Amino acid sequence: MQHRAEKVVLVMVGLPARGKSFLARKVCRYLRWLGHDARVFNVGTYRRERVGQHQPASFFDPGNSSGNQARQRVALEALEDALRWLRADGQVAIYDATNSTRERRRMLEELCQRDGIPVLFIESVCDDPAIIENNIRETKLMSPDYAGVGMDDALKDFRQRIAHYAKAYEPVEDARQSFVKVLDGGRQVVVNRVDGPLRARVVALLMNTRLTRRTLWLTRHGQSLYNQRGRLGGDSELSHQGEDYGRALATHFATPPEGFEVWTSTLKRSMQTGSFLGLPTTEWRVLDEIDAGACDGMTYEEVARRMPDVYAARKADKLRFRFPQGESYLDVIRRIEPLVLELERQTTPTLIIGHQAVLRTLYAYLIGDPVEHCPHLAFPLHTLIELSPNAYGCDEKRFPLTRAIEERHSMPPG
Amino acid sequence: MQHRAEKVVLVMVGLPARGKSFLARKVCRYLRWLGHDARVFNVGTYRRERVGQHQPASFFDPGNSSGNQARQRVALEALEDALRWLRADGQVAIYDATNSTRERRRMLEELCQRDGIPVLFIESVCDDPAIIENNIRETKLMSPDYAGVGMDDALKDFRQRIAHYAKAYEPVEDARQSFVKVLDGGRQVVVNRVDGPLRARVVALLMNTRLTRRTLWLTRHGQSLYNQRGRLGGDSELSHQGEDYGRALATHFATPPEGFEVWTSTLKRSMQTGSFLGLPTTEWRVLDEIDAGACDGMTYEEVARRMPDVYAARKADKLRFRFPQGESYLDVIRRIEPLVLELERQTTPTLIIGHQAVLRTLYAYLIGDPVEHCPHLAFPLHTLIELSPNAYGCDEKRFPLTRAIEERHSMPPG
């Protein structure tokens, strides 16, 4: 799907430690993955560069006029940079700061309107002390603001900084403004006057975002008969080695975590691999491998020989290359978007048994790798990838489950 | 995608003439189209059957105890029917009544909880007198309640009925309950504690639903070279007759309505047809024709000869039949779901130049035809279908734009 470029400024709103930067980065990653040019402008980073890190809590006191001026200056500088970038070739600027007063927000809106660029406010409201405390410990105390400061002192200072902001905080309430309000990490979401397909997607992501963290596992199906022969696509059965991998996977998950889910595609090699686990599985057609169209069933050598133009086009731009009557990597990304939203929404540990191209696109989203890298990500057969989310990204472990098997048999390249 | 059956009661909440039945029917239509078993239980219908139509406004006065008892009785009867149906094989019961007090909602929730079935409240709030007045005139005065009553008397009586409900109205506010609140026809949407993939989809629909009505046009591409030869799928160019149709379409839309959009698939025959209009077009890959997989490029006669099992399976169940390595009609429905949400969201008059199977699924959604009818809906080539929404459905006009051309050439069946 192609849309006329919809430019927009997403303005984050909220007290410190309410997960604004988490949401800002998440939205940015999602939009970039969908092919939009998005960028976060973090006012804290500008402040540290211009005014220096290690500002005490009193710098953030609304009664401190020199502190106020300095903060206003860097806030404007960040916005001007964002607007300059949008006037050039940028598409979505995510303006990450507390923006905690009506006056500040009106000013931001006016400056954007001058350039004819609409604003969507994204407010994160949280009164759950456990979530706030966890946020502070996980992200704020790691910030350059507190480099070399003891944990207890940093914590005390940061709580004071929050208190200063809280004094002047005015929630987003203006019914004429376009806003999304996320309460307590998604327990409640309020969406007001949101327009445009790109913003509708941002809302869909925010609606589905959960704070709960869970582990995901990605793996390709076991080796198929087509893999053995180096053929593209098809719907062949598992080879003996592929079956061995299914068994190895079942052993690895012999004691599955609570609520464990298994997702497969609707292709035989994926469903057969999953069947070894002996658990209920969910089949997703959107997890099916990239459609090789007219090249389905061929080897790459045959494509090179019979369709030299197609082969050359694929080599030249593997991301945008679309198999004749088939799909490109970008097509696969658009196709799996609903699955990504469902992954964001559900919070149970899940094993996804997919295919090389489709997993590359999913993995790029999960770890935040640029979409251009997708077609080149290493995704060998018979390797289980474990992704455990941390504050802003994922920790990764790879288990080559059937190394012993592979050493016995000789494997063609994945 | 397959999910474990998630049973749920959707309880509508709102004063009369706030579009509850409109939303209830819309949600029902959407879920059924996605293959879920959904059903509306309208308490008004029960009331008319049990207590008789033509009850005066005073029947709805909270001070009228015999009226109250009668209303409570029919409300319970409708809920009991809904729960009985869910205990059997139903999946989503949509309970359509005002349910305007906390007490009533607590009672409903308790009764559902006894059966272990979760409740999602859907409240429609509207304070815009123009929308309310329009709702009354368009739907309420057409209701059997006012059969044979003069317009002015009916209007007066209905306004009184609203006033009775308004006296006792308590908005949905309990943060522990699962609810969606739709304000002023979607200007603001509040989503609280919504769980489960099916309910997430209901929310996505409600988020995108607009009250604005606009005309949609559906058409297949002009005749292609493959159509001429009776071949399935492919990506062939337009025939001369197909080009004539593109020109006829351009003439028909010589003065396009304001904000007019043209959507095509990414296949040549669709884009070429659209190109005659000389307007910017949006290409949607999800509008591409059903994937005929291994049968792509064959005629039906060839399928019957070479793959008799496949041919027989298709004949036996055309809705669920999946082409080998291709798609079924149900697959197409799941694929175009994001496009349907986008169609609900945007409010500009739009021409969709698609393909037979994909348009059949879209048309079934738009007019609310049972999904089983999809594969049998008449969608001839070179015919423009105009759909103008009315209070609960669509008015339809068909323009056989190139009858003259077709009479000159002989056309093979679509």
Side-chain angles (χ1 to χ4, degrees), chain A residues 1-2 4 187-193 196-197 200 203 207 282-285 291 296 325-327 331 345, chain B residues 1-2 187-193 196-197 200 203 207 234 282-285 296 325-327 331 345:
Chain A
M1 124 192 70
Q2 296 165 350
R4 281 150 291 291
R187 177 186 59 75
Q188 187 176 103
V189 178
V190 181
V191 181
N192 192 71
R193 291 197 191 279
V203 169
M207 294 275 318
T282 308
E283 293 155 26
W284 291 78
R285 195 178 160 80
D291 183 353
D296 190 88
Q325 292 179 244
E327 289 178 302
D331 292 332
R345 202 196 55 72
Chain B
M1 119 194 71
Q2 296 166 349
R187 176 186 60 74
Q188 188 176 105
V189 178
V190 181
V191 181
N192 192 71
R193 292 196 190 278
V203 169
M207 294 276 318
T282 306
E283 294 155 27
W284 291 79
R285 195 181 159 78
D296 190 88
Q325 292 179 245
E327 290 178 303
D331 291 332
R345 202 197 56 72

Side-chain angles (χ1 to χ4, degrees), chain B residues 173-237:
Chain B
E173 276 165 347
D174 189 339
R176 293 163 310 171
Q177 287 178 329
S178 173
F179 65 79
V180 187
K181 215 186 242 286
V182 181
L183 285 93
D184 293 338
R187 176 186 60 74
Q188 188 176 105
V189 178
V190 181
V191 181
N192 192 71
R193 292 196 190 278
V194 175
D195 198 17
L198 188 143
R199 279 163 282 173
R201 290 173 135 179
V202 170
V203 169
L205 177 69
L206 293 171
M207 294 276 318
N208 286 286
T209 295
R210 300 284 170 269
L211 289 184
T212 319
R213 294 187 193 160
R214 56 92 154 77
T215 302
L216 283 181
W217 293 267
L218 308 183
T219 180
R220 290 171 67 186
H221 53 82
Q223 189 198 48
S224 71
L225 298 175
Y226 259 43
N227 289 143
Q228 247 178 355
R229 295 180 221 143
R231 297 206 172 275
L232 287 166
D235 191 15
S236 64
E237 321 251 328

